[in-house]
Amino acid sequence: MLLIAVIALGDISHGLEKTQYVGLLASVPFLAATFAPPRGVLLLGALAWTAGLGMGLVHEDGRGTPQAVRLACIAVAVAMACVAARSRGVRERRLVAVESAADAASRAILRPLPPVVGGVPLQVDYVSASQQSRVGGDLYEAVATPWGLRLVVGDVRGKGLEAVRLAAVVLGSFREAAHREPDLACVAAALHASVARDADVEDFVTALLVELPVTGPARMLACGHPGPLRLRGGRAEVLALPAEQPLGLAAPGPAVEVDLRPGDRVLLYTDGAVEARREGRFFDLEAAAGASLAAGPLAEGLAGLTERLQAFTAGSPADDVALLAFEVPARTARVPAPR
């Protein structure tokens, strides 16, 4: 409407006997077609046509053939813009339907985790490098089993739908093997078999598996994946684990015991968190985790860590990031899952 007013005032103030700018009114319906529905385009087009008629009457050439041709061109532009607006609306509705289906599929693959699983408080967050998709090749899961809480965080090599498919394969295999296998290394072996069977020759998956048994020390197994961060006494420290080959390349070795005490907080993450870069500097995950997760509620701490990461990358991380933090509870709070 502002554009119509500017064109009309410019034409009237020009002071010539014939209209000069009426042809510009044909741009109004096409501009409206980029955001308005067909009814809105038709309304604005009618206003533009009426303004063109008034401009011709002001210059006393409103009954001539040239003015009739100009008004006919505006009417044709309005009709074409209405068709374009309708087509845009159809595409937008289809896109919304596709995004809704993709979001449902994403939530089925990476389902939200409750704040307590198997008596262990935990929080999870996922930062996607794609604005259109919630899930990429990063994965996480936590399940309560007869042998205690078992967790996995992993990263599929590559991106796109193939990475999402392979992540779904790993998660499905983990959810099954975690309840079936008594040893954490056997769980990792089942994941390796699934990846080796379903992945392409050059594909693999890095993964970190954690077991918090009802009794006994915690165990971990890193298959080509960064070691976790342990927060104790307000200080973050990377737990050094034996380096195993990623899933799909070689069968993993045995799990190792790690020193975890009640009250410790542990952060599992994918490599997008440590490889985030800005102006040649890498994100200092240890310092950020120490400042965010050392004290206070676990949920607020992980949210604060995510905010620090997004602020460092200006909201556009180069890679997906999966973050899973848990707090080691007292042994009396642990409840094994039924066999």
Side-chain angles (χ1 to χ4, degrees), residues 64-199:
T65 300
Q67 175 68 354
V69 172
R70 289 191 287 263
L71 294 178
C73 290
I74 295 176
V76 171
V78 172
M80 295 175 63
C82 288
V83 174
R86 183 179 182 278
S87 299
R88 176 186 55 79
V90 171
R91 290 193 299 271
E92 288 180 349
R93 287 190 292 272
R94 289 178 179 173
L95 180 60
V96 169
V98 170
E99 290 180 344
S100 299
D103 185 66
S106 298
R107 294 183 181 277
I109 296 173
L110 286 183
R111 57 190 180 187
L113 297 179
V116 178
V117 179
V120 178
L122 58 82
Q123 292 291 324
V124 66
D125 204 351
Y126 192 101
V127 181
S128 177
S130 172
Q131 299 297 326
Q132 291 77 30
S133 175
R134 178 177 176 267
V135 175
D138 290 9
L139 57 97
Y140 61 82
E141 184 58 289
V143 294
T145 74
W147 301 278
L149 177 67
R150 286 175 171 174
L151 308 100
V152 65
V153 168
D155 188 0
V156 178
R157 176 189 177 275
K159 299 182 181 296
L161 294 177
E162 181 60 26
V164 175
R165 185 193 68 81
L166 193 54
V169 169
V170 174
L171 287 172
S173 179
F174 175 77
R175 290 162 183 161
E176 174 64 25
H179 288 280
R180 183 184 68 241
E181 302 294 345
D183 188 79
L184 188 63
C186 295
V187 177
L191 302 187
H192 165 69
S194 297
V195 174
R197 180 178 60 250
D198 291 325

Side-chain angles (χ1 to χ4, degrees), residues 136-288:
D138 290 9
L139 57 97
Y140 61 82
E141 184 58 289
V143 294
T145 74
W147 301 278
L149 177 67
R150 286 175 171 174
L151 308 100
V152 65
V153 168
D155 188 0
V156 178
R157 176 189 177 275
K159 299 182 181 296
L161 294 177
E162 181 60 26
V164 175
R165 185 193 68 81
L166 193 54
V169 169
V170 174
L171 287 172
S173 179
F174 175 77
R175 290 162 183 161
E176 174 64 25
H179 288 280
R180 183 184 68 241
E181 302 294 345
D183 188 79
L184 188 63
C186 295
V187 177
L191 302 187
H192 165 69
S194 297
V195 174
R197 180 178 60 250
D198 291 325
D200 293 335
V201 177
E202 298 181 353
D203 289 339
F204 58 85
V205 179
T206 68
L208 174 62
L209 288 83
V210 179
E211 181 180 84
L212 298 178
V214 178
T215 59
R219 287 183 285 271
M220 295 186 181
L221 179 56
C223 301
H225 201 83
L229 282 177
R230 181 185 63 194
L231 291 99
R232 176 184 295 173
R235 189 172 67 92
E237 177 186 5
V238 177
L239 296 178
L241 302 176
E244 300 287 345
Q245 291 292 321
L247 302 174
L249 298 184
V256 296
E257 296 180 358
V258 293
D259 176 25
L260 293 182
R261 306 171 187 172
D264 287 349
R265 290 182 173 180
V266 180
L267 175 68
L268 315 181
Y269 54 91
T270 54
D271 58 6
V274 292
E275 295 178 357
R277 183 186 305 182
R278 185 182 68 182
E279 299 177 354
R281 297 184 298 110
F282 288 99
F283 181 64
D284 191 345
L285 181 62
E286 290 186 44

